[in-house]
Amino acid sequence: MKKMRTIKKMVFLAIAAGLLFISCSKSKSGSDGSDAPVTIELWYGAAVTEAGPPPTDWKAFQIIKEKLNIILIPTALPSNESDQDVKVQAAGASNTLPDLFMVRRDPWLNLIRAGLIAPVDDLYGLMPTRTRLQYDSDSRAFTTVNGKSYGLASPGTIAKNEGVLIRKDWLDKLGLSIPVDTEDFLAVMEAFTFNDPDGNGRDDTYGYGAFIEINNFEEGVGRRFDPLMGAFGAAGTWSMSAADPGLNVRKPAYYEGLSYLKRIIDAKAIDPNWVSYGKDDFRAAWKQGRFGVMREQNAAFAAEANYAPFDKNFPNGEWIVVDPPKGPTGKQSVGVYTQAYRIYAVSAKAAQDGKGAAIARLLEWMSSDEGYYLLGWGEEGVNYLLDENGVPTVEGLPDAKLGFTQPEIQPLTQLRNMVFYNGEVELVARYPTYKAPTSGKSMSALAVLRDMQSRPWTPNIGGDALPAPNADLKRFYEQGVAEFLTGRRTLTQDNWAAWVAEFDKLGGLEWDQKGVQAAKDGNYLK
């Protein structure tokens, strides 16, 4: 009888706990069932990495507290993706992950294996508006592991939103035509380096500018060098061609592309800081006129706040979008593209603390009209007005300096990537046509985007979902490629073949085989 009473007591407690969970899901009470506010620590990807965080008197903080009974504590992740991984993984190792955090796919998978991320299947139904706008079947499939969804995947960067840019004013100054093939590009890079294209009489310019920006589908030298590797058919980590799938680094085309990069480096036609630049350093450098050829993102180049420093420094300067270089066999590509998602994960600790419903409540509010416009553009009547088509605009604002396009206002919209889903209203509002303040030239990041999207690209759908290498192999891969380019290893056919053989022995061949099989299983090969 005593055992029976114990079992009944356990059943009663289980039912009571279930009722409490339902009650918490429908109310705004704290995670302990009281009326105390729920504190949610958020690590977010900043919309503008150079700008600061939202100010302490940000209106959204007040609304979130009063309407949702949530105290939001946001922290921006580092701008560099590798640094993001380090921060997130360190928090995982010390079991100090925040409640809700943006995370890249590789560390996300590791955290799932470690049991540090909670399934979120039950949250979708608690946020119907946001789920309809952002979490379609493809999104949920992207975050599903062993039948459970372990992340909230929002539409990320717009596909093919980067391009090859060249200083047209430097070409004109030196009497050069727009380069077409790899030899043309090398000749232009050398001229930009040695022939004083800015006319200042100093030896302070270079041809190509870049930095190492690596992710799981743009490995090796990374996306900033992809237009050069693409000329040899070796852009990106993976070839998703049904005729020749697998890791590009194991293919002859990769050596050819690497050899071309080495020619540029040996000719001293590249800004030597490419080995040390971070994203912010790189962007500061082109705005200071340090180099004349680059791959850059449409808004990072042409949005009003981002273009303003270059416009001020070089009112007669002009960047134009051009086709990527054409290789010896006619191949060319800005790089690879896939369907990008931003994953936000809920820590297992947050779920254990009963914060799931509050997190869903917060995200659902973000996708309401109030949250969408406030986080995306600021306060209506102060930072934006709605035009006749319902599109946010800065035209007609009482104080133009408070418009959402101004650099000083960017901290108010640092979380806009959490509400945007690439709708047409966003694109038109996000990329308005404007007059550059110093030169007066008409600029449109949207026109630049459409131009970039029209250039040659390599489809790589599914490339970001393929298996990742282990940490040792990844390190060997990245260090080896860098050593060949910097001269620490001599790049010859024999040396490269020996390095690839060692790469295979350390697990590269197995990684290649697993990736190809996963691509076949996912029906990604075309």
Side-chain angles (χ1 to χ4, degrees), residues 68-349:
L68 308 180
N69 200 28
I70 290 171
I71 296 174
L72 181 64
I73 303 177
T75 300
L77 286 164
S79 62
N80 182 277
E81 291 181 335
S82 296
D83 291 341
Q84 290 177 17
D85 293 351
V86 170
K87 182 178 177 68
V88 169
Q89 291 178 141
S94 60
N95 198 25
T96 57
L97 286 167
D99 303 307
L100 180 66
F101 59 100
M102 191 181 80
V103 57
R104 298 204 307 140
R105 189 172 185 87
D106 288 356
W108 173 73
L109 289 169
N110 291 334
L111 293 172
I112 292 172
R113 297 186 191 104
L116 295 171
I117 290 180
V120 295
D121 302 86
D122 292 342
L123 301 189
Y124 292 113
L126 300 179
M127 40 186 182
T129 300
R130 188 174 181 87
T131 296
R132 175 174 55 83
L133 293 173
Q134 298 207 16
Y135 308 135
D136 60 13
S137 57
D138 290 336
S139 162
R140 293 171 74 160
F142 187 78
T143 61
T144 296
V145 177
N146 296 327
K148 294 182 179 180
S149 174
Y150 283 91
L152 302 163
S154 300
T157 55
I158 303 166
K160 300 186 287 186
N161 69 338
E162 299 206 354
V164 178
L165 290 150
I166 195 166
R167 285 287 296 268
K168 175 68 162 51
D169 57 312
W170 286 9
L171 291 174
D172 294 343
K173 172 74 165 50
L174 300 178
L176 300 172
S177 301
I178 296 173
V180 175
D181 61 26
T182 50
E183 296 305 312
D184 294 339
F185 268 84
L186 178 55
V188 164
M189 291 175 198
E190 291 178 323
F192 282 0
T193 302
F194 300 110
N195 296 352
D196 193 22
D198 58 2
N200 68 359
R202 296 194 296 269
D203 183 18
D204 59 356
T205 59
Y206 295 93
Y208 200 73
F211 67 102
I212 299 296
E213 186 176 15
I214 289 173
N215 57 54
N216 64 336
F217 68 99
E218 292 168 313
E219 263 281 3
V221 291
R223 69 168 55 186
R224 300 297 158 179
F225 291 96
D226 258 2
L228 309 181
M229 299 296 288
F232 300 87
T237 305
W238 297 94
S239 166
M240 304 298 280
S241 165
D244 187 25
L247 288 169
N248 279 323
V249 73
R250 300 186 67 253
K251 301 181 184 302
Y254 197 91
Y255 173 77
E256 295 170 7
L258 214 60
S259 298
Y260 178 62
L261 264 63
K262 191 68 168 64
R263 286 180 62 196
I264 296 171
I265 293 168
D266 289 346
K268 301 186 185 305
I270 184 173
D271 183 342
N273 290 327
W274 68 269
V275 295
S276 59
Y277 275 154
K279 184 182 294 184
D280 294 344
D281 305 315
F282 164 79
R283 288 176 172 164
W286 71 254
K287 294 171 187 178
Q288 293 163 5
R290 191 166 169 86
F291 43 80
V293 186
M294 64 178 178
R295 170 176 157 161
E296 181 58 296
Q297 195 251 8
N298 73 302
F301 159 63
E304 184 173 2
N306 297 327
Y307 187 74
F310 176 82
D311 185 64
K312 181 179 180 180
N313 293 333
F314 307 100
N316 296 319
E318 181 184 9
W319 289 93
I320 60 171
V321 180
V322 298
D323 280 338
K326 187 175 293 185
T329 62
K331 294 178 180 178
Q332 60 183 158
S333 176
V334 176
V336 294
Y337 71 91
T338 186
Q339 176 58 58
Y341 289 104
R342 290 187 183 91
I343 301 176
Y344 274 84
V346 176
S347 67
K349 185 176 184 301

